[in-house]
Amino acid sequence: MPIPTIYPLDLNFHNTLTSIASYLIPHAEGGVLVECGPGSTLPTMQARLKDHNLTPQDITDVFVTHIHLDHAGAAGWFANQGARIHVHHVGAQHLLDPAKLIASASRIYGDKMDELWGKFLPVPADKLNILHDEDEITVNDLVFRALDTPGHAYHHMAYILDGVCFSGDVGGVRIAIPGYRHLRLPMPPPGLHLDKWRATIQRLQQENIHHLALTHFGIFDDVEWHFQAISEALDAADAWIRDVMPRAEKLENGEISKNWLRKEFMAWAKERALAAGLTEDLLNTYEEANPSGMSADGLLRYWRKFIKE
Ligand SMILES: [Zn+2]
């Protein structure tokens, strides 16, 4: 099937190619972005828009799949240039007032915060369009459908445009490199929920999707393989955490060491990647797009809240 004109913009996050994408869809009065990346990649973003003869003021609409910094950090800046920002209703408050989000990210990234993510400006209320499941949004001749898709975060939307699904993080992390098919799941706290993620994938499988546009990274047409790979990765993560936690508790004498779990997880993820034929270099690219320490923390929280008796 023909796909609408969609340009992946590589934001070269942290000087790494194929880490964070934004998608540009031109229309008669300018362009739409799906995902806008963090504040730190705005110079690259502006250069990529210029490649398409567009200025930031030409962007009429920005759809963010969720409010994590790598997807929505630059939303406020685009709103100040005149764009309308579309976001899941649960995430909306954090775009209106990002103080809490910035504070919790600062606890994780410390003095690297600014260098990594740049400024996260608030979105003015009159520029925010708050979305619910199955909302349809028309921009010029483009019609987007928003699907509430929890699992990676509570506040996650996937967007469908003419059979192309912009799957945010619920579509996993997969880098388009010839000769490899390897998918990883970003599983950070606090929103990770393996069962909700499974239900999301089952729902997406019912949709008539012929291409997936992943934020991390690229457009794929082997949709069936991809959804199957997500399901298998969910099952594998579930089995891993159930297997490792009883041992972790014994090891730490009742106290679970985050660092120990991170190391275990990293070794496990690496083994899976090498089995898929990845080189160490590629592994680093995956690690940049999807730090495995975060997934270990997410799984730990999920296990405590939803699995442990
Ligand atoms: Zn995310």
Side-chain angles (χ1 to χ4, degrees):
M1 271 188 76
I3 65 168
T5 305
I6 298 170
Y7 298 108
L9 309 180
D10 191 329
L11 299 182
N12 196 25
F13 174 65
H14 219 209
N15 287 317
T16 307
L17 291 172
T18 66
S19 176
I20 301 178
S22 165
Y23 289 97
L24 169 68
I25 304 116
H27 59 76
E29 282 156 33
V32 168
L33 292 177
V34 181
E35 313 285 41
C36 57
S40 57
T41 54
L42 274 168
T44 310
M45 167 65 89
Q46 291 179 71
R48 295 292 77 78
L49 289 177
K50 209 172 161 203
D51 296 342
H52 294 273
N53 296 315
L54 292 170
T55 68
Q57 293 77 32
D58 293 323
I59 300 303
T60 58
D61 295 78
V62 175
F63 291 81
V64 296
T65 58
H66 62 304
I67 54 151
H68 289 162
L69 295 144
D70 48 335
H71 299 253
W77 187 87
F78 271 103
N80 291 342
Q81 314 304 310
R84 191 162 60 134
I85 311 297
H86 305 271
V87 67
H88 189 290
H89 60 98
V90 176
Q93 74 212 43
H94 295 290
L95 291 191
L96 291 167
D97 177 11
K100 256 190 178 167
L101 203 69
I102 295 168
S104 74
S106 299
R107 280 196 294 276
I108 299 169
Y109 299 104
D111 54 8
K112 288 219 167 130
M113 180 73 190
D114 245 29
E115 180 207 331
L116 270 175
W117 304 112
K119 290 227 175 328
F120 197 131
L121 302 174
V123 176
D126 65 343
K127 289 290 177 195
L128 200 65
N129 184 35
I130 296 173
L131 298 174
H132 292 84
D133 190 33
E134 292 285 4
D135 277 354
E136 270 192 11
I137 310 97
T138 303
V139 183
N140 214 281
D141 56 345
L142 307 169
V143 182
F144 291 84
R145 238 173 93 225
L147 297 185
D148 195 344
T149 39
H152 166 80
Y154 305 121
H155 46 71
H156 193 290
M157 285 295 185
Y159 299 105
I160 298 186
L161 170 70
D162 295 341
V164 178
C165 178
F166 299 92
S167 54
D169 276 349
V170 89
V173 173
R174 181 179 168 197
I175 296 162
I177 302 154
Y180 298 93
R181 286 212 282 194
H182 181 57
L183 177 134
R184 264 168 65 159
L185 300 177
M187 301 182 282
L192 173 70
H193 197 296
L194 298 176
D195 284 340
K196 285 185 183 167
W197 201 327
R198 282 190 185 98
T200 282
I201 296 307
Q202 279 161 15
R203 180 177 178 194
L204 290 176
Q205 283 174 315
Q206 306 302 312
E207 295 287 334
N208 190 14
I209 294 168
H210 52 74
H211 284 80
L212 286 162
L214 269 60
T215 312
H216 318 285
F217 186 104
I219 299 179
F220 296 88
D221 64 1
D222 53 352
V223 175
E224 205 174 308
W225 180 88
H226 190 96
F227 282 141
Q228 188 57 34
I230 295 176
S231 301
E232 282 167 14
L234 287 167
D235 290 348
D238 203 340
W240 180 81
I241 194 72
R242 284 171 199 272
D243 169 62
V244 82
M245 285 316 293
R247 286 194 280 127
E249 286 207 298
K250 253 182 239 159
L251 187 92
E252 301 292 329
N253 200 20
E255 276 296 307
I256 298 151
S257 156
K258 266 192 182 182
N259 281 337
W260 182 82
L261 195 71
R262 283 177 174 199
K263 268 193 214 144
E264 287 283 309
F265 183 81
M266 223 173 271
W268 178 75
K270 188 173 173 177
E271 200 178 299
R272 283 172 63 82
L274 294 178
L278 256 73
T279 60
E280 296 274 344
D281 256 15
L282 282 174
L283 238 149
N284 288 339
T285 307
Y286 271 86
E287 194 61 32
E288 193 73 46
N290 171 28
S292 50
M294 294 274 255
S295 290
D297 295 357
L299 281 168
L300 176 58
R301 186 177 190 277
Y302 179 74
W303 184 84
R304 280 186 177 142
K305 262 195 106 162
F306 301 107
I307 298 180
K308 193 183 172 198
E309 291 300 303

